[in-house]
Amino acid sequence: METRATRIGLWAWGALVVAFLWIPLGIMALYAFNSSNIQSWPIPGFTTKWFHQAWDDEEVRTALWLSLRAGLLATAVALVLGSLAAFGLARSRFFGRDSISFLFVLPIALPGIITGLALNSFFVIWGVSFSLWTIVIGHATFCVVVVYNNVLARLRRTSGSFFEASADLGATGFQTFRYVTLPTVGTALVAGGLLAFALSWDEIVVTYFTAGAQNTLPLLLFGFIRQGQNLPIVNVIALVVIVVSAIPVWIAQRLTSGSGGSGRGVGG
């Protein structure tokens, strides 16, 4: 049986891991409210002026709008392709099904720099101009996997007798989808979409090779840090990226807890 000392030890170890992950983020969040433009500890005072300066910066607003559009479009593409693939592979039996499933999840296991270089070479060879859509295509390569995994996991845990009973009662294919299938996988679709958006929103490696001269918010953040410029605004942007990433991940976790749903380790 688990002793009291073991429970205390496990709790302490868990607390240390959480502290290791979140204390640096917490310090950075405090620096976003630092009244001085010099990063020193302890901070001399608190202010929100850097948030106003960041919002007044047209470059920041442009990058924010591009990130939102890319995230929403990549999520839409992932929801369509990922759910269709999951429905097709969950209920069908054919030679090579496992191989096709492996090919679907492989892009998320590859280093982002490999995917980015491959896409960059493809676009250059075929003369495709870098634009919002090249970013969306790049993000869709891993966002599709998140939706696919969530929906497939839900379908595999759902008994086929529900769909057979619907057909026996005279329901058409569309009625079965609307009244049986969609409610069954609804939370998995929403969770997959939220996770896909979170991954797209803060992605930088693949975006670096598919954005061309454009800047998403993470790319702009990377550029500021590399040049050592606008460090107070860097902290503000980083805080916004963290918050916007955390909210959909938290909602997705709430939706799938107790009902399941498998996806990529978020934050990758």
Side-chain angles (χ1 to χ4, degrees):
M1 292 182 63
E2 195 177 78
T3 63
R4 183 170 180 270
T6 302
R7 290 195 299 271
I8 293 175
L10 291 173
W11 183 90
W13 183 254
L16 286 173
V17 172
V18 172
F20 173 77
L21 293 173
W22 282 96
I23 286 178
L25 299 179
I27 293 174
M28 187 208 63
L30 284 176
Y31 275 132
F33 298 93
N34 187 6
S35 60
S36 171
N37 60 356
I38 300 175
Q39 298 195 28
S40 59
W41 188 261
I43 60 177
F46 292 90
T47 183
T48 59
K49 67 179 180 180
W50 306 120
F51 288 86
H52 298 292
Q53 287 192 20
W55 180 252
D56 290 338
D57 191 322
E58 185 178 354
E59 191 177 14
V60 173
R61 293 201 306 270
T62 301
L64 172 63
W65 178 231
L66 180 61
S67 292
L68 289 173
R69 287 186 295 163
L72 292 172
L73 288 171
T75 300
V77 172
L79 285 171
V80 174
L81 298 182
S83 58
L84 288 176
F87 288 135
L89 293 177
R91 298 305 176 191
S92 302
R93 299 291 185 271
F94 54 88
F95 177 76
R97 187 184 70 155
D98 291 340
S99 298
I100 293 176
S101 181
F102 171 74
L103 291 176
F104 262 103
V105 300
L106 181 61
I108 213 166
L110 294 175
I113 192 170
I114 301 300
T115 302
L117 281 170
L119 288 169
N120 182 277
S121 299
F122 176 84
F123 294 143
V124 170
I125 289 172
W126 291 99
V128 178
S129 300
F130 292 107
S131 65
L132 168 65
W133 291 105
T134 56
I135 298 175
V136 171
I137 292 171
H139 290 191
T141 58
F142 53 83
C143 290
V144 166
V145 182
V146 176
V147 176
Y148 169 78
N149 280 344
N150 274 274
V151 177
L152 185 64
R154 181 65 55 82
L155 289 172
R156 284 177 173 172
R157 286 194 302 273
T158 304
S159 174
S161 60
F162 290 110
F163 309 104
E164 295 170 1
S166 176
D168 291 341
L169 292 172
T172 63
F174 176 76
Q175 289 174 323
T176 299
F177 175 79
R178 179 181 178 184
Y179 296 110
V180 180
T181 306
L182 195 58
T184 300
V185 302
T187 54
L189 278 171
V190 174
L194 290 169
L195 291 174
F197 177 81
L199 290 175
S200 174
W201 164 259
D202 62 11
E203 213 289 322
I204 187 171
V205 179
V206 175
T207 313
Y208 182 83
F209 292 96
T210 58
Q214 306 169 100
N215 273 330
T216 60
L217 211 54
L219 281 180
L220 183 67
L221 181 65
F222 176 68
F224 282 163
I225 293 175
R226 186 174 56 181
Q227 298 168 11
Q229 298 177 348
N230 301 320
L231 291 182
I233 295 179
V234 165
N235 294 320
V236 170
I237 296 174
L239 179 60
V240 171
V241 170
I242 291 172
V243 172
V244 176
S245 298
I247 291 174
V249 172
W250 179 80
I251 296 174
Q253 191 274 336
R254 298 288 295 178
L255 288 173
T256 56
S257 60
S259 57
S262 175
R264 180 189 186 185
V266 291

